[in-house]
Amino acid sequence: MEFFGPYTPLILLILIASFVIQGSLTRTYRRWSGVRNPRNLTGEQVARMMLDANGLNHVPVNAVPGSLSDHYDPMRKTVNLSEGVYGVPSVAAMAVAAHEVGHAIQDRVRMPALVARGRLAVPLSLGMNLAPLLVVAGIFLQLTGLLWLGVVLFGAALLFHLITLPVEFDASRRALAYLNQTGLSGSPEATGGARSVLTAAALTYVAGFAMALAQFLNIFSIARNSD
């Protein structure tokens, strides 16, 4: 069996693009983290206001360690903001906090994609960890069945990335709509900054999907040629 499939060059290109996109996110986030939002509200305050405005008074806003570790926990029903967002009154903090509350609102309205992602997260994460091992073992041991099992698990990983895209895009849409409708963004500059931060973050998910697709096509081609 061949080890490098026809899509290997594409995978390398996407890998390089992913580094570029991650670097862009870091620079964009750093830039707007240094700019105060017009209302001088911290990420925690923005999140609290947006939650209360959407009938989510019972959802707490917690501070968590790390950088860009912000997330909404659908199991515990908590909005978790990183150190650079929770107590910081920056444009970036405002945008990130509103985005995470967007996920809380999705949970309240039971957005199908979010529900599906939540239910599939654990089994698919296990599958994503096992898939490369199965593929490598299948190639070196010349076991076609093992290789095809790896293909299936790579397909599951692709599905997870595909479901993630509308969830993240919708959360950003909700965040920007709230900031604009309430006037929290305050100025065209702050609005543009918030959009830049959320767009840069969204591109990382697009890159993740592109990588998952290229890997799936590559492994599928290797498996098909091994039969």
mmCIF file of all heavy atoms in Angstrom, residues 33-55:
data_model
loop_
_atom_site.group_PDB
_atom_site.id
_atom_site.type_symbol
_atom_site.label_atom_id
_atom_site.label_comp_id
_atom_site.label_asym_id
_atom_site.label_seq_id
_atom_site.Cartn_x
_atom_site.Cartn_y
_atom_site.Cartn_z
ATOM 1 N N SER A 33 -7.454 43.840 21.313
ATOM 2 C CA SER A 33 -7.410 43.691 22.770
ATOM 3 C C SER A 33 -6.819 44.944 23.410
ATOM 4 O O SER A 33 -7.012 45.188 24.606
ATOM 5 C CB SER A 33 -6.572 42.470 23.164
ATOM 6 O OG SER A 33 -7.237 41.276 22.818
ATOM 7 N N GLY A 34 -6.103 45.711 22.611
ATOM 8 C CA GLY A 34 -5.496 46.928 23.123
ATOM 9 C C GLY A 34 -6.336 48.174 22.890
ATOM 10 O O GLY A 34 -5.895 49.281 23.188
ATOM 11 N N VAL A 35 -7.543 47.977 22.345
ATOM 12 C CA VAL A 35 -8.441 49.111 22.072
ATOM 13 C C VAL A 35 -9.674 48.989 22.958
ATOM 14 O O VAL A 35 -10.396 47.990 22.892
ATOM 15 C CB VAL A 35 -8.861 49.144 20.592
ATOM 16 C CG1 VAL A 35 -9.826 50.308 20.337
ATOM 17 C CG2 VAL A 35 -7.637 49.242 19.686
ATOM 18 N N ARG A 36 -9.924 49.980 23.770
ATOM 19 C CA ARG A 36 -11.102 49.958 24.636
ATOM 20 C C ARG A 36 -12.379 50.102 23.807
ATOM 21 O O ARG A 36 -12.415 50.865 22.843
ATOM 22 C CB ARG A 36 -11.052 51.103 25.657
ATOM 23 C CG ARG A 36 -10.105 50.853 26.816
ATOM 24 C CD ARG A 36 -10.132 52.010 27.811
ATOM 25 N NE ARG A 36 -9.299 51.707 28.965
ATOM 26 C CZ ARG A 36 -9.744 51.114 30.067
ATOM 27 N NH1 ARG A 36 -11.025 50.794 30.155
ATOM 28 N NH2 ARG A 36 -8.935 50.856 31.076
ATOM 29 N N ASN A 37 -13.410 49.370 24.200
ATOM 30 C CA ASN A 37 -14.688 49.553 23.520
ATOM 31 C C ASN A 37 -15.345 50.842 24.023
ATOM 32 O O ASN A 37 -15.069 51.289 25.145
ATOM 33 C CB ASN A 37 -15.604 48.335 23.716
ATOM 34 C CG ASN A 37 -15.917 48.046 25.178
ATOM 35 O OD1 ASN A 37 -16.568 48.835 25.865
ATOM 36 N ND2 ASN A 37 -15.471 46.892 25.676
ATOM 37 N N PRO A 38 -16.171 51.488 23.198
ATOM 38 C CA PRO A 38 -16.731 52.805 23.534
ATOM 39 C C PRO A 38 -17.509 52.861 24.851
ATOM 40 O O PRO A 38 -17.541 53.900 25.504
ATOM 41 C CB PRO A 38 -17.643 53.105 22.343
ATOM 42 C CG PRO A 38 -17.023 52.350 21.209
ATOM 43 C CD PRO A 38 -16.534 51.087 21.836
ATOM 44 N N ARG A 39 -18.119 51.752 25.241
ATOM 45 C CA ARG A 39 -18.911 51.747 26.477
ATOM 46 C C ARG A 39 -18.081 51.365 27.699
ATOM 47 O O ARG A 39 -18.585 51.339 28.822
ATOM 48 C CB ARG A 39 -20.094 50.774 26.324
ATOM 49 C CG ARG A 39 -21.104 51.179 25.253
ATOM 50 C CD ARG A 39 -21.973 52.336 25.694
ATOM 51 N NE ARG A 39 -22.816 51.945 26.807
ATOM 52 C CZ ARG A 39 -24.001 51.328 26.673
ATOM 53 N NH1 ARG A 39 -24.463 51.040 25.460
ATOM 54 N NH2 ARG A 39 -24.727 51.004 27.730
ATOM 55 N N ASN A 40 -16.805 51.030 27.466
ATOM 56 C CA ASN A 40 -15.891 50.661 28.550
ATOM 57 C C ASN A 40 -16.425 49.490 29.388
ATOM 58 O O ASN A 40 -16.286 49.444 30.608
ATOM 59 C CB ASN A 40 -15.624 51.860 29.464
ATOM 60 C CG ASN A 40 -14.313 51.715 30.236
ATOM 61 O OD1 ASN A 40 -13.329 51.192 29.710
ATOM 62 N ND2 ASN A 40 -14.302 52.159 31.482
ATOM 63 N N LEU A 41 -17.026 48.514 28.697
ATOM 64 C CA LEU A 41 -17.590 47.344 29.363
ATOM 65 C C LEU A 41 -16.641 46.161 29.234
ATOM 66 O O LEU A 41 -16.075 45.922 28.161
ATOM 67 C CB LEU A 41 -18.940 46.975 28.744
ATOM 68 C CG LEU A 41 -20.069 48.003 28.907
ATOM 69 C CD1 LEU A 41 -21.272 47.607 28.052
ATOM 70 C CD2 LEU A 41 -20.477 48.116 30.371
ATOM 71 N N THR A 42 -16.472 45.417 30.301
ATOM 72 C CA THR A 42 -15.639 44.219 30.258
ATOM 73 C C THR A 42 -16.380 43.109 29.527
ATOM 74 O O THR A 42 -17.592 43.172 29.310
ATOM 75 C CB THR A 42 -15.294 43.735 31.672
ATOM 76 O OG1 THR A 42 -16.503 43.297 32.321
ATOM 77 C CG2 THR A 42 -14.641 44.834 32.496
ATOM 78 N N GLY A 43 -15.633 42.069 29.171
ATOM 79 C CA GLY A 43 -16.259 40.922 28.530
ATOM 80 C C GLY A 43 -17.341 40.320 29.403
ATOM 81 O O GLY A 43 -18.402 39.920 28.917
ATOM 82 N N GLU A 44 -17.089 40.254 30.689
ATOM 83 C CA GLU A 44 -18.080 39.682 31.622
ATOM 84 C C GLU A 44 -19.349 40.524 31.628
ATOM 85 O O GLU A 44 -20.461 39.976 31.633
ATOM 86 C CB GLU A 44 -17.465 39.620 33.026
ATOM 87 C CG GLU A 44 -18.339 38.913 34.053
ATOM 88 C CD GLU A 44 -19.357 39.831 34.719
ATOM 89 O OE1 GLU A 44 -19.093 41.046 34.751
ATOM 90 O OE2 GLU A 44 -20.407 39.351 35.191
ATOM 91 N N GLN A 45 -19.212 41.842 31.609
ATOM 92 C CA GLN A 45 -20.381 42.716 31.635
ATOM 93 C C GLN A 45 -21.196 42.597 30.347
ATOM 94 O O GLN A 45 -22.429 42.567 30.390
ATOM 95 C CB GLN A 45 -19.929 44.166 31.852
ATOM 96 C CG GLN A 45 -19.400 44.434 33.255
ATOM 97 C CD GLN A 45 -18.794 45.822 33.386
ATOM 98 O OE1 GLN A 45 -18.081 46.294 32.504
ATOM 99 N NE2 GLN A 45 -19.083 46.496 34.499
ATOM 100 N N VAL A 46 -20.502 42.525 29.213
ATOM 101 C CA VAL A 46 -21.194 42.364 27.935
ATOM 102 C C VAL A 46 -21.949 41.039 27.910
ATOM 103 O O VAL A 46 -23.114 40.974 27.505
ATOM 104 C CB VAL A 46 -20.199 42.440 26.759
ATOM 105 C CG1 VAL A 46 -20.878 42.056 25.448
ATOM 106 C CG2 VAL A 46 -19.611 43.832 26.649
ATOM 107 N N ALA A 47 -21.278 39.971 28.360
ATOM 108 C CA ALA A 47 -21.915 38.657 28.380
ATOM 109 C C ALA A 47 -23.138 38.651 29.287
ATOM 110 O O ALA A 47 -24.193 38.127 28.937
ATOM 111 C CB ALA A 47 -20.910 37.598 28.843
ATOM 112 N N ARG A 48 -23.009 39.265 30.455
ATOM 113 C CA ARG A 48 -24.120 39.299 31.410
ATOM 114 C C ARG A 48 -25.317 40.064 30.833
ATOM 115 O O ARG A 48 -26.459 39.627 30.960
ATOM 116 C CB ARG A 48 -23.650 39.967 32.707
ATOM 117 C CG ARG A 48 -24.634 39.982 33.861
ATOM 118 C CD ARG A 48 -24.822 38.599 34.467
ATOM 119 N NE ARG A 48 -25.849 37.819 33.810
ATOM 120 C CZ ARG A 48 -25.897 36.495 33.804
ATOM 121 N NH1 ARG A 48 -24.948 35.780 34.373
ATOM 122 N NH2 ARG A 48 -26.888 35.841 33.193
ATOM 123 N N MET A 49 -25.036 41.194 30.202
ATOM 124 C CA MET A 49 -26.109 41.991 29.617
ATOM 125 C C MET A 49 -26.821 41.225 28.503
ATOM 126 O O MET A 49 -28.058 41.234 28.415
ATOM 127 C CB MET A 49 -25.548 43.303 29.078
ATOM 128 C CG MET A 49 -25.066 44.260 30.150
ATOM 129 S SD MET A 49 -24.225 45.718 29.454
ATOM 130 C CE MET A 49 -25.584 46.482 28.583
ATOM 131 N N MET A 50 -26.050 40.565 27.656
ATOM 132 C CA MET A 50 -26.630 39.843 26.522
ATOM 133 C C MET A 50 -27.415 38.620 26.999
ATOM 134 O O MET A 50 -28.487 38.303 26.464
ATOM 135 C CB MET A 50 -25.527 39.441 25.554
ATOM 136 C CG MET A 50 -26.020 38.867 24.240
ATOM 137 S SD MET A 50 -24.631 38.621 23.087
ATOM 138 C CE MET A 50 -25.470 37.742 21.749
ATOM 139 N N LEU A 51 -26.899 37.937 28.006
ATOM 140 C CA LEU A 51 -27.617 36.790 28.566
ATOM 141 C C LEU A 51 -28.953 37.221 29.160
ATOM 142 O O LEU A 51 -29.995 36.623 28.885
ATOM 143 C CB LEU A 51 -26.761 36.108 29.645
ATOM 144 C CG LEU A 51 -25.576 35.274 29.163
ATOM 145 C CD1 LEU A 51 -24.652 34.942 30.331
ATOM 146 C CD2 LEU A 51 -26.042 33.994 28.479
ATOM 147 N N ASP A 52 -28.922 38.276 29.972
ATOM 148 C CA ASP A 52 -30.147 38.753 30.626
ATOM 149 C C ASP A 52 -31.164 39.232 29.599
ATOM 150 O O ASP A 52 -32.372 39.023 29.769
ATOM 151 C CB ASP A 52 -29.818 39.880 31.601
ATOM 152 C CG ASP A 52 -28.984 39.406 32.786
ATOM 153 O OD1 ASP A 52 -28.884 38.186 32.991
ATOM 154 O OD2 ASP A 52 -28.429 40.263 33.505
ATOM 155 N N ALA A 53 -30.691 39.852 28.523
ATOM 156 C CA ALA A 53 -31.589 40.363 27.495
ATOM 157 C C ALA A 53 -32.281 39.239 26.730
ATOM 158 O O ALA A 53 -33.320 39.454 26.103
ATOM 159 C CB ALA A 53 -30.818 41.250 26.522
ATOM 160 N N ASN A 54 -31.704 38.048 26.799
ATOM 161 C CA ASN A 54 -32.278 36.899 26.087
ATOM 162 C C ASN A 54 -32.890 35.872 27.029
ATOM 163 O O ASN A 54 -33.054 34.702 26.662
ATOM 164 C CB ASN A 54 -31.200 36.238 25.224
ATOM 165 C CG ASN A 54 -30.875 37.049 23.977
ATOM 166 O OD1 ASN A 54 -31.555 36.933 22.968
ATOM 167 N ND2 ASN A 54 -29.852 37.882 24.056
ATOM 168 N N GLY A 55 -33.207 36.310 28.256
ATOM 169 C CA GLY A 55 -33.879 35.425 29.199
ATOM 170 C C GLY A 55 -33.009 34.327 29.762
ATOM 171 O O GLY A 55 -33.522 33.283 30.186
#
